[in-house]
Amino acid sequence: FPTRRSSDLQRFNMAQACCGQWAAQAASARRVAIREHVAGQGLGRRWTFAQLQNAANRLSQVLQAQGVRRGDRVAIVLPQRFETAVAYMAVLQMGAVAMPLSMLFGPEALSFRINDSQARVAVCDESTVHALLQARVDCPGLQVLLGVGEAAALADLDLNQAMAASAPTFKPVSTLAEDPAVLIYTSGTTGNPKGALIPHRA
């Protein structure tokens, strides 16, 4: 692919740049996109660009079925794991906005950001589901919890089951380089946390 700065492009999408374009070509689709590192054990599983894109497509279908549309915020409350990368690719290729929330946040910190952003869907795992369930009491707009791994039994939907039942194809949204991609909140140490919208070109 020709090297161009994202600032030079009128249309640009992070997910397409990071995964979609590589998964679309046979030679690069088989290349490793993600390697797992297990503390004390070293490198573990690996996933190719094709596998990452397949999973992202399936999750995009799941999110779309839950009513997520272009511009909607999706809370990603996960540690570093394969499903975290899948969630970002899935949300970004939909033209929706990924909102990373720390797995260290308590219910109050989560509920403020979820309400302020008007997020309707959150993706979590066993490390964050309990705090989200507590926060949800104060988040009337949060309609769906998607659970990864052990969180599936406590969430509204088992993410892996829902993805397995979804189509492996998805037509990405054509986003402008200036369209919002990620919503990051300040720490809130000197007042209420404030959201900063990061565009795709960033």
Side-chain angles (χ1 to χ4, degrees), residues 3-157:
T3 302
R4 292 187 292 176
R5 294 181 305 170
S6 61
S7 58
D8 296 333
L9 304 176
Q10 183 179 8
R11 294 196 171 274
F12 184 79
N13 184 277
M14 285 187 190
Q16 180 65 16
C18 293
C19 184
Q21 64 176 341
W22 310 112
Q25 296 196 16
S28 55
R30 296 188 297 271
R31 293 176 62 184
V32 175
I34 296 177
R35 287 294 302 269
E36 177 184 53
H37 183 272
V38 182
Q41 299 177 34
L43 295 175
R45 292 172 295 175
R46 64 179 69 188
W47 293 270
T48 65
F49 283 102
Q51 290 172 315
L52 176 58
Q53 187 62 52
N54 180 290
N57 289 344
R58 290 177 184 273
L59 181 52
S60 289
Q61 294 281 6
V62 172
L63 292 170
Q64 193 172 66
Q66 297 304 314
V68 175
R69 299 292 180 263
R70 185 172 186 160
D72 287 347
R73 277 66 162 153
V74 176
I76 300 174
V77 201
L78 294 169
Q80 294 300 316
R81 56 185 299 164
F82 175 63
E83 291 85 359
T84 309
V86 173
Y88 276 102
M89 296 303 105
V91 171
L92 294 172
Q93 73 174 356
M94 298 177 71
V97 178
M99 182 174 64
L101 294 177
S102 172
M103 56 185 288
L104 301 178
F105 281 154
E108 185 177 344
L110 289 171
S111 62
F112 178 87
R113 290 161 175 81
I114 289 169
N115 285 328
D116 187 70
S117 67
Q118 299 180 344
R120 297 174 58 249
V121 176
V123 186
C124 60
D125 73 354
E126 57 274 8
S127 68
T128 58
V129 65
H130 293 288
L132 269 170
L133 286 171
Q134 293 178 58
R136 192 179 195 178
V137 176
D138 298 317
C139 299
L142 182 59
Q143 299 177 5
V144 182
L145 288 185
L146 296 174
V148 177
E150 295 174 19
L154 298 172
D156 300 310
L157 279 180

